[in-house]
């Protein structure tokens, strides 16, 4: 009897819970899910003629060399930039944590985030042009520069640009994580004779693990935004080292290749799903 | 079920949107555009047209017709409806050059000359009348530039109703700004009470008494905003610049507070070209390229009476001179219209209100081009005149100021086409034509050309015909890659190898332009059957061009830029593009020895100029530009009809019109017509038959001594034959792919400047292009 | 023995001091490098056309040599700002459009997003995990993927060429839900139980407990939202056609010409300015918001 009531209460609660989500979910359905369903549908149909083609689009996309290049670059970029960013931000956060002037430095690091992409592109163009400022400075020091955006260097510029823009935010996120660790634990450890290094590895790091998931997801999300700058600086067809998925999507879009685009998008979301599940699992097991 | 849900959700969202709209006061549309919401009404019906789907159709529209004055005017200076109802205009008769006044007592239907200018102000070796204006009582004021010795002085004359002239005892003070140059009158305007306003070259306005020449007030404006155009409405002076409208009280000489409604409308509808008032200055009518507006001072009324979109008022080469509002339903406009049917390009148009015509035409035809196309704009305005039931909506995606990139514009176009809201007729001036055809975006229009065999340059008009015989895109115009040089550098008929074998043949030319020009004649040969590019051809292209270009001389660049008078970079991408590839832009440099050859795309043929340049050269000649591909032409104004068009018949009619002799003969230097007869009439110089004594003197910017003078005369038959044969010989359309072209131009420029080796550049090109082609 | 230890401690203290100084120098240098582009924009916006021309000629005019750029303009002028504020009437229209879009999105997110985050964090319902996963995936979808389909939906709802076509998808973005969820999830259960015992209803819990406690988290989220929607590019370019609806973020005069690069600099600074204000104002919340959420016993 009691059990039953309990269950009733639970179902009741569940509906109420969903009510909170409902407005958001309706909007998401209209503006995101419906379009997404349309994309999935399109991945099985011809681009303009709407003919059912089965898995042809997928096959076409997988065999497409431009697609392969874009996938390779995107993977490479993400795999490199996120760990570097997260690690650098952690270093800075630990160094800045509880220091007097940390706030000013942190603000400085945060500034780039507020800079609109268009302005960033303007600066980048002037800095990394083959006759640009960077080469000017290098020439002063006696180094022969290069045409940064049109060589393999473009990849590294993009990477630096990403870190430049997001370092501040990640530092803030880490700082928040650090602040969440109760000082009692440190004190207890110190009493037990733990050194600074030990404290860091055995207390700080494990306690920061829960933040890692959020930081990774957010850094991942922000890694997409770097495309804006890449696009604004180098256009539709940048150097092959920074030719990303979004370039490809963009170009496919222009040439009415919605079939390929949809198939690639579906594949991308499957990969995203897998990644997120993986991350979540790692995070769940941590906390 | 699912459907119902969607509907419900939609409803919910719309409700939400509405609630929020009333809350934050930001409804995306509807607000803002004052001119729009005022509607297109005279009778005040249906001011707010909510998309036209509510209620019945709004009726009533001004229809345009050209007035036959019986006189061919070489110019019209002013036109006014006088107090007694007569319409008077001051003009110059093109036949005998004499100036005078003409009257019409029947609303513009018939005209007779009222008087000829008296002796004092006749045009002669002693001077000429420059500005003439009319007042409502029939008087005229005339600024007469008298040439005496080396100096010109302006005198001011007042003509009474019958044309008797009296000199007004007034002299302009010396201009402070332009100390040495004589100060001239640049504008005059009648004001009531025997006063006129006179504007000088420094934009200073003097309020002069016509009786004694005394100056009551002087007005000066700050230098910003370019020239100030002055008009009067009653006792108010209206000063117009590109950006604003200033009002002055001429009694007190003080500036009046700016009127926001007016300011806003002018900002939206553009520069005011002509003003008229019928009620002693309480309100004014004004013309902009967006149409005719009526504005009541104080801001209580602002309406658009005529929408320029639907008639000549909005045509690109239409410059109104004078406006005469006869009554609420009849309006006369005198204008300088480059494409008017009258010989001298001066036209008089009458706009009469027709209550039976729907306010907006039933059918809408959307025409789209990436860049502004003046030929098209002109053709549209001609087409509108003949089809009052069709509203041609011409959209230019990338204008001078909107800063939209090609990529963004194409993306927007894609979305619209896919949503079924795309244009009906596309001008393919940068779109990937082949992709569009392949994806089925464009309709087969081969039927349109059926039965026209022989009228067109066949190879050109069939440039985009595919293997199945389908034609989805048709060039309405074309350009010929031409070369002109002395025999040391070019022998007619010479091929690419032998031409580029001559070191320095292309020396001193702009590196970027060289690549771009040769791209047209070479690119067509690069494509292999499998769609990829032939690497060896590209290397050959770069190597040979580098040889012909010789050492890069960095001092050249500034030279080239100034001498060619390029528009400021970035100001108008299309214009820049045209100048960069233009053939005639290089002719001055060739004639005065700054370049060894002139190459580029020719879109028209000026025999006099060609000849004058040849005479400066040793054995000068012209012909087709050599290239890896031969007999190449560049399709221009390539037309396609969207396969999703809602108005396919109208679209076809429009394309047909553009290909008809009437549409073809419009010439705004966008290329040669593909219609053979019009082509001939375009190159034969027939327009010069009547004025064979005219001498054209053309000068380039670099130095004043450098000018070419030649007589403007009909083209001799052998030259007509030569250019026609050249056009007939063209068989291969240039490879038009902007993505590849840009890559090639970028890398090629580095090669010519000696920054990288041809092989390196080829690799870079292949790398970028391979990604592109793989997509 | 005792003395020795003392020395050692002192030495290590001195070493630490040196290390600290080195560290801080490094940070200051890094901060300066990070800030350089902003200084660069400021300086550029105050240079006259002549100065810009001589500095950047190598890039824009194809002159030889390298571009130079002084830290401060030689002849500072406000010319470009005047150009922006006085001579481009379109500027203010665009500015207001940006304000409308950003405000609309933020207000909407505040209502819809907060509720959803609260729901996800505090209630159990079937497939909650699935829903949340879906939200995360949608959050990570690049715009290009959904662009066409999005356009078709907006078109059906008559929202294209309308600011609402930008605002509504923004309102229902799943990003704020993700951010705020983390935060709400970590409000101690005890607090909520206590309020419940006092007889608070669900909505009272939300309005009087969740929102106030979460205010810093919500603000943090709004700050991020502001940055995102203040510099939106793709959406307005795709969904808007009427130029009078364009937001400031796409008001970019063609920067390939010297004549307009000054204006581009000025516009950049003007666009950057509100973002900085919001950022500086909200920066503490950015940290607190997430920090408070992360507090865990």
């Amino acid at each position: 009897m009691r059990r039953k009531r309990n269950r009733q209460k639970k179902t009741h609660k569940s509906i109420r819970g969903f009510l909170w989500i409902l407005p958001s979910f309706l909007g998401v359905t209209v503006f995101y899910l419906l379009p997404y369903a349309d994309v999935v549908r399109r991945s099985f149909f011809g681009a303009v003629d709407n003919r059912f083609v089965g898995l042809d689009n997928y096959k076409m996309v997988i065999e497409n060399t431009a697609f392969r290049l874009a996938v390779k670059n995107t993977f490479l970029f993400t795999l490199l930039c996120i760990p570097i960013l997260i690690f650098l931000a952690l270093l800075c956060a630990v160094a800045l944590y509880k220091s007097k002037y940390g706030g000013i430095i942190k603000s400085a690091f945060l500034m780039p985030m507020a800079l609109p992409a268009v302005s960033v592109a303007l600066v980048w163009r002037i800095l990394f042009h083959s006759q640009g400022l960077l080469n000017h400075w290098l020439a002063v020091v006696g180094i022969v520069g290069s045409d940064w955006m049109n060589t393999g260097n473009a990849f590294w510029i993009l990477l630096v640009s990403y870190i430049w823009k997001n370092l501040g935010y990640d530092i803030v996120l880490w700082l928040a994580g650090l602040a969440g660790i109760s000082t009692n634990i440190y004190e207890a450890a110190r009493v037990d004779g733990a050194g600074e290094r030990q404290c860091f590895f055995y207390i700080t790091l494990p306690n920061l693990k829960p933040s890692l998931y959020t930081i990774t997801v957010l850094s991942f999300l922000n890694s997409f935004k770097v495309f804006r700058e890449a696009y604004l600086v180098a256009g539709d067809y940048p150097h092959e080292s920074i030719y990303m998925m979004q370039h490809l999507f963009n170009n496919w879009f222009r040439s009415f290749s919605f079939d390929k685009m949809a198939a690639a998008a579906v594949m991308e979301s499957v990969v995203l799903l897998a990644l997120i599940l993986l991350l979540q699992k790692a995070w769940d097991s941590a906390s | 079920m699912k459907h119902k849900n969607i509907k419900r959700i939609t409803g919910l969202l719309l409700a939400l949107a509405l609630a929020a709209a009333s809350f934050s006061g930001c409804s995306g549309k509807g607000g803002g555009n004052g001119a729009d919401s005022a509607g297109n009404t005279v009778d005040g019906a249906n001011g707010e047209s909510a998309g036209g789907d509510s209620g019945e159709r709004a009726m009533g529209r001004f229809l345009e017709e050209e007035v036959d004055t019986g006189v061919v005017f070489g110019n019209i200076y002013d036109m006014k409806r006088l107090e007694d109802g007569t319409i008077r205009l001051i003009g110059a008769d093109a036949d005998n050059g004499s100036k005078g006044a003409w009257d019409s007592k029947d609303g513009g239907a018939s005209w007779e000359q009222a008087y000829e200018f008296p002796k004092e102000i006749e045009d002669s070796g002693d001077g000429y009348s420059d500005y003439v204006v009319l007042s409502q009582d029939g008087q005229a004021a005339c600024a007469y530039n008298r040439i005496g010795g080396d100096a010109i002085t302006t005198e001011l004359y007042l003509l009474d109703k019958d044309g008797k002239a009296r000199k007004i005892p007034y002299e302009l003070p010396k201009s402070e700004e332009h100390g040495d140059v004589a100060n001239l009158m640049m504008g005059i305007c009648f004001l009531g009470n025997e006063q006129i306003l006179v504007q000088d070259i420094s934009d200073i306005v003097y309020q002069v008494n016509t009786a004694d020449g005394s100056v009551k007030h002087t007005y000066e404006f700050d230098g910003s905003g370019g020239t100030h155009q002055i008009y009067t409405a009653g006792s108010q002076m209206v000063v117009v610049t590109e950006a604003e409208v200033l009002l002055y009280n001429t009694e007190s000489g003080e500036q009046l507070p700016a009127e926001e409604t007016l300011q806003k409308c002018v900002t939206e509808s553009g520069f005011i070209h002509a003003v008229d008032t019928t009620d002693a200055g309480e309100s004014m009518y004004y013309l902009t390229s967006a149409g005719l507006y009526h504005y009541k001072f104080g801001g209580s009324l602002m309406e658009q009476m005529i929408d320029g979109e639907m008639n000549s008022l909005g045509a690109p080469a239409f410059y109104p001179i004078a406006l005469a509002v006869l009554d609420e339903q009849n309006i006369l406009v005198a204008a300088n219209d480059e494409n008017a049917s009258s010989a001298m390009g001066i036209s008089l148009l009458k706009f009469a209100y027709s209550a039976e015509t729907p306010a907006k035409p039933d059918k809408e035809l959307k025409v789209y081009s990436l860049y502004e196309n003046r030929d098209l704009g002109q053709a549209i305005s001609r087409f509108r005149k003949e089809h009052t039931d069709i509203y041609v909506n011409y959209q230019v995606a990338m204008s001078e100021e909107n800063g939209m990139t090609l990529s963004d514009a194409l993306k927007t176009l894609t979305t619209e086409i896919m949503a079924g809201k795309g244009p009906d007729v596309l001008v393919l001036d940068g779109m990937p034509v082949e992709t569009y055809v392949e994806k089925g975006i464009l309709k087969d229009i081969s039927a349109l050309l059926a039965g026209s065999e022989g009228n067109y340059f066949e190879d050109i008009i069939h440039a985009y015909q595919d293997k199945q015989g389908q034609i989805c895109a048709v060039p309405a115009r074309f350009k010929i890659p031409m070369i002109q040089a002395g025999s040391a550098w070019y022998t007619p008929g010479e091929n690419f190898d032998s031409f580029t074998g001559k070191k320095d043949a292309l020396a001193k030319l702009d590196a970027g332009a060289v690549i771009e020009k040769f791209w047209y004649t070479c690119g067509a040969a690069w494509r292999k059957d499998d769609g990829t590019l032939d690497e060896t051809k590209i290397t050959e292209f770069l190597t040979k061009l580098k040889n012909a270009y010789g050492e890069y001389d960095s001092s050249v660049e500034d030279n080239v830029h100034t001498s060619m008078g390029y528009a400021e970079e970035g100001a108008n991408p299309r214009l820049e593009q045209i100048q960069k590839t233009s053939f005639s832009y290089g002719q001055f440099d060739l004639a005065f020895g700054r370049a060894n050859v002139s190459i580029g795309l020719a879109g028209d043929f000026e025999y006099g100029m060609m000849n004058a340049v040849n005479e400066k050269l040793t054995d000068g000649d012209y012909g087709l530009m050599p290239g890896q591909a031969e007999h190449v032409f560049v399709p221009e104004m390539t037309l396609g009809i969207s396969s999703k068009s809602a108005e396919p018949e109208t679209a076809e009619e429009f394309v047909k019109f553009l290909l008809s002799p009437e549409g073809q003969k419009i010439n705004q230097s966008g290329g040669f017509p593909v219609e053979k007869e019009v082509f001939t009439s375009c190159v034969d110089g027939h327009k010069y038959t009547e004025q064979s004594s005219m001498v054209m003197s053309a000068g380039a910017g670099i130095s004043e001594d450098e000018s070419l003078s030649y007589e403007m005369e009909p083209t001799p038959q052998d030259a007509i034959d030569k250019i026609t044969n050249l056009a007939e010989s063209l068989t291969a359309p240039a490879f038009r792919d902007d993505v590849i072209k840009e890559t090639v131009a970028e890398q090629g420029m580095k090669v010519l400047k000696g920054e990288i080796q041809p092989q390196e550049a080829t690799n870079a090109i292949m790398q970028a292009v391979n990604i592109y082609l793989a997509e | 023995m005792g003395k020795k230890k003392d020395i050692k401690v002192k030495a290590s203290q001195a070493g630490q001091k040196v290390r600290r100084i080195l560290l801080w120098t490094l940070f200051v240098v890094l901060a300066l490098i990070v800030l350089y582009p902003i200084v660069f924009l400021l300086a550029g916006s105050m240079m006259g056309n002549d100065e810009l021309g001589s500095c950047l000629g190598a890039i824009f005019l194809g002159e030889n040599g390298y571009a130079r750029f002084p830290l401060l303009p030689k002849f500072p002028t406000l010319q470009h700002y005047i150009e922006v504020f006085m001579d481009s009437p379109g500027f203010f229209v665009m500015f207001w459009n940006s304000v409308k879009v950003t405000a609309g999105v933020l207000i909407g997110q505040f209502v819809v997003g907060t509720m959803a985050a609260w729901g996800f964090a505090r209630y159990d319902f079937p497939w909650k995990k699935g829903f949340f996963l879906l939200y995360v995936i949608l959050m990570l979808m690049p715009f290009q993927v959904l662009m066409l389909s999005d356009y078709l939906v907006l078109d059906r709802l008559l929202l294209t060429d309308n600011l609402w076509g930008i605002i509504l998808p923004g309102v229902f973005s799943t990003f704020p839900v993700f951010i705020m969820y983390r935060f709400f999830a970590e409000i101690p259960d005890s607090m909520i139980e206590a309020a419940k015992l006092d007889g608070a209803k669900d909505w009272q819990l939300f309005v009087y407990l969740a929102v106030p406690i979460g205010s810093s988290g919500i603000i943090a989220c709004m700050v991020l939202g502001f940055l995102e929607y203040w510099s939106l590019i793709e959406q307005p370019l795709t969904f808007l056609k009427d130029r009078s609806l364009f937001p400031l973020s796409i008001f970019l005069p063609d920067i390939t010409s010297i004549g307009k690069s000054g204006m581009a600099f000025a516009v950049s600074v003007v666009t950057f300015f509100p973002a900085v204000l919001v950022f500086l104002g909200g920066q503490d919340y950015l940290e607190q918001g997430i920090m408070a959420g992360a507090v865990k016993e």
Side-chain angles (χ1 to χ4, degrees), chain B residues 29 96 100 167 170 183 201 220 258 288 317 324 341 351-352 407 527 535 630 635 683 703 774:
Chain B
K29 274 244 153 135
N96 54 22
K167 188 172 171 186
Y170 172 75
N183 200 358
I201 50 175
E220 282 185 51
T288 75
S341 52
F351 291 87
S407 180
R527 246 194 326 185
E535 206 171 331
E630 278 175 353
V683 298
S703 135

Side-chain angles (χ1 to χ4, degrees), chain C residues 41-107:
Chain C
L41 284 174
L42 274 171
S45 72
M46 292 204 281
M47 281 185 200
N49 280 339
D50 294 343
E51 197 174 354
L52 279 174
S54 70
C55 287
L56 303 179
I59 294 172
F60 292 134
L61 299 179
E63 283 166 12
N64 276 343
Y66 294 117
R68 301 169 284 112
F69 214 80
L71 212 49
L72 292 171
K74 239 182 256 165
F75 311 101
T77 159
L78 292 179
Q79 177 195 342
H80 302 301
Y81 289 96
I82 293 172
E83 233 173 280
V84 171
F85 288 119
M86 308 295 209
D87 301 340
S88 10
F91 175 80
F92 287 101
V93 177
M94 292 183 132
F95 188 87
W96 278 115
N97 287 336
S98 273
V99 172
K100 282 176 193 167
V101 168
T102 316
V105 170
L106 293 189
I107 292 169

Side-chain angles (χ1 to χ4, degrees), chain B residues 188-232:
Chain B
I188 37 182
C189 243
F190 262 103
L191 202 60
N193 301 330
E194 303 193 315
Q195 297 182 93
I196 56 174
L197 297 168
V198 176
Q199 188 177 24
D200 77 354
I201 50 175
S202 341
D203 261 2
I204 301 171
V205 175
Y206 304 92
Q207 186 172 335
V208 179
N209 187 302
T210 52
D212 56 10
S214 62
V215 174
K216 188 169 175 192
H217 296 296
T218 307
Y219 307 88
E220 282 185 51
F221 317 108
D222 65 34
S224 71
T227 46
H228 295 70
Q229 192 77 44
I230 55 168
Y231 301 104
T232 49

